[in-house]
Amino acid sequence: MLEADIAVTTVPRGLDVPGLMTRDLADEGFRDRIDPFLVISQFDMTGPVFPPHPHAGFSVATYIFPESEIGFWNQDTLGNVNPVTPGSLYLIVAGAGVMHEETVSRSGRHATGFQIWIDHAAVHREVTPRAFHLAASDVPVTARDGVTRRILLGTSGGVASPVDTPTAVRLVDVEMKPGSTLREPISPNETGFAWIRSGEIEAAGRSVPADAVLFADDGGLTATSESGARLTVFAGRPLRQPAVPAGPFVASNATQAAMFRDRYAKGLMGKLDPFDQGALDRAHDMGLRTGDRKCLQDHSPRSSPASS
């Protein structure tokens, strides 16, 4: 349990299985500090791990770091089959229920990034599913005084992401040059924190290394970096509501959780055939452009859409 007066914590290690290692910040023990986020996993993935699976009751965002060696292929029952390249964001508003699958564009190489579960207010748990793909080239970017911001969700410094979410949150990827200072306002009615990915920052008289999280105080987030750092800022207004985890679903109560399970069992969230990872690997090795849909022509699985 994180004590209220602790401003910095090392992110616990999560999964360590063939093809996947994670560090996970979840609402168990951190609920009041990260609400409206439910789970944030920093992943290092080198192979197919998760076959097609459902989600409902929340939004799930996948952000591939700009420095990642490779990206993902995504497919979902909204009719999308698309690459998520380094620097890109893919958001699925799962709502009433959707199936999806993400796998590496080339097994044996490293895809690194965040997967983020964003809670929905009870009134939005069962919204119609939809998805947004924010390509790396379309991410709004600001650069000032040695601090570069990529605004993936929400608004930072007066610049807004084009991606719309049922729950208003902020996700800003930051690169700090040596000797720079980051100032990210966090309002009193928001939770906010910075996840340091590499390098080191200094804040409130202490050093914060990589794989640690700095939680905002009443003045927001202010940090300097003598050596340079990469970090990601998360912020949002807490929902302060019940959230019942039910495997891949998040519900407001047990009755709704049972309804999501029933919808999935009846095929109402659609169906997906798994990616052919070998074919993806061969296409990658043939030197085809990562964003070229033709590389899936001969092996793209057929999906059936989710029913409303």
Coordinates of all heavy atoms in Angstrom, one line a residue, residues 54 99 249 258-271:
P54 N -11.5 -10.6 -25.6 CA -12.5 -9.5 -25.5 C -12.2 -8.5 -24.4 O -11.3 -8.7 -23.5 CB -13.8 -10.3 -25.1 CG -13.3 -11.4 -24.2 CD -11.9 -11.8 -24.7
M99 N -13.7 -7.5 -29.5 CA -12.6 -8.5 -29.6 C -11.4 -7.8 -30.2 O -11.6 -7.0 -31.2 CB -12.9 -9.7 -30.3 CG -14.0 -10.6 -29.7 SD -13.3 -11.7 -28.4 CE -12.4 -12.8 -29.4
F249 N -12.9 -7.8 -18.5 CA -14.0 -6.8 -18.4 C -13.9 -6.0 -17.2 O -13.4 -6.5 -16.2 CB -15.4 -7.5 -18.5 CG -15.5 -8.6 -19.5 CD1 -16.0 -9.8 -19.2 CD2 -15.2 -8.3 -20.9 CE1 -16.1 -10.8 -20.2 CE2 -15.4 -9.2 -21.9 CZ -15.8 -10.5 -21.5
A258 N -21.6 -10.1 -15.2 CA -22.2 -11.3 -15.7 C -22.8 -11.1 -17.1 O -22.8 -12.0 -18.0 CB -23.3 -11.8 -14.8
M259 N -23.4 -9.9 -17.3 CA -23.9 -9.6 -18.7 C -22.8 -9.5 -19.7 O -23.0 -10.0 -20.8 CB -24.7 -8.2 -18.6 CG -25.3 -7.8 -19.9 SD -24.2 -6.8 -20.9 CE -24.0 -5.3 -19.9
F260 N -21.7 -8.9 -19.4 CA -20.6 -8.9 -20.3 C -20.1 -10.3 -20.7 O -19.9 -10.6 -21.8 CB -19.4 -8.1 -19.7 CG -19.6 -6.6 -19.7 CD1 -19.0 -5.8 -18.7 CD2 -20.3 -6.0 -20.7 CE1 -19.1 -4.5 -18.7 CE2 -20.4 -4.6 -20.7 CZ -19.8 -3.8 -19.7
R261 N -20.0 -11.2 -19.6 CA -19.6 -12.5 -19.9 C -20.6 -13.3 -20.8 O -20.2 -14.0 -21.7 CB -19.4 -13.3 -18.6 CG -18.1 -12.9 -17.8 CD -17.9 -13.8 -16.7 NE -18.8 -13.7 -15.6 CZ -18.6 -12.9 -14.5 NH1 -17.5 -12.3 -14.4 NH2 -19.5 -12.8 -13.6
D262 N -21.9 -13.0 -20.6 CA -22.9 -13.6 -21.4 C -22.8 -13.1 -22.9 O -23.0 -13.9 -23.8 CB -24.3 -13.3 -20.8 CG -25.4 -14.1 -21.5 OD1 -25.4 -15.3 -21.6 OD2 -26.3 -13.4 -22.1
R263 N -22.6 -11.8 -23.0 CA -22.5 -11.3 -24.4 C -21.3 -11.9 -25.1 O -21.4 -12.3 -26.3 CB -22.4 -9.8 -24.4 CG -23.7 -9.0 -24.1 CD -23.4 -7.5 -24.0 NE -22.7 -7.0 -25.2 CZ -23.3 -6.7 -26.4 NH1 -24.6 -6.9 -26.5 NH2 -22.6 -6.3 -27.4
Y264 N -20.2 -12.1 -24.4 CA -19.1 -12.7 -25.1 C -19.3 -14.1 -25.4 O -19.0 -14.6 -26.5 CB -17.9 -12.6 -24.1 CG -16.7 -13.4 -24.6 CD1 -16.1 -13.2 -25.8 CD2 -16.1 -14.4 -23.7 CE1 -15.0 -13.9 -26.2 CE2 -15.0 -15.1 -24.1 CZ -14.5 -14.9 -25.4 OH -13.4 -15.6 -25.8
A265 N -19.9 -14.9 -24.5 CA -20.2 -16.3 -24.7 C -21.1 -16.5 -25.9 O -21.0 -17.5 -26.7 CB -20.8 -16.9 -23.5
K266 N -22.0 -15.5 -26.2 CA -23.0 -15.6 -27.3 C -22.4 -15.1 -28.6 O -23.1 -15.1 -29.6 CB -24.3 -14.9 -26.9 CG -25.1 -15.5 -25.8 CD -26.3 -14.7 -25.5 CE -27.2 -15.4 -24.4 NZ -28.3 -14.6 -24.0
G267 N -21.2 -14.7 -28.6 CA -20.5 -14.2 -29.8 C -20.9 -12.8 -30.2 O -20.7 -12.3 -31.3
L268 N -21.5 -12.0 -29.2 CA -22.0 -10.7 -29.6 C -20.9 -9.6 -29.6 O -21.2 -8.5 -29.9 CB -23.1 -10.3 -28.6 CG -24.4 -11.2 -28.6 CD1 -25.4 -10.7 -27.6 CD2 -25.0 -11.1 -30.0
M269 N -19.7 -10.0 -29.2 CA -18.6 -9.1 -29.3 C -17.7 -9.4 -30.5 O -16.7 -8.8 -30.7 CB -17.7 -9.2 -28.0 CG -18.4 -8.8 -26.8 SD -17.4 -8.9 -25.3 CE -18.6 -8.5 -24.0
G270 N -18.3 -10.3 -31.4 CA -17.6 -10.6 -32.6 C -16.6 -11.7 -32.5 O -16.5 -12.3 -31.4
K271 N -16.0 -12.1 -33.6 CA -15.1 -13.2 -33.6 C -13.8 -12.8 -34.4 O -14.0 -12.1 -35.4 CB -15.7 -14.5 -34.2 CG -16.9 -15.0 -33.4 CD -17.5 -16.3 -34.0 CE -18.7 -16.8 -33.2 NZ -19.3 -18.0 -33.8

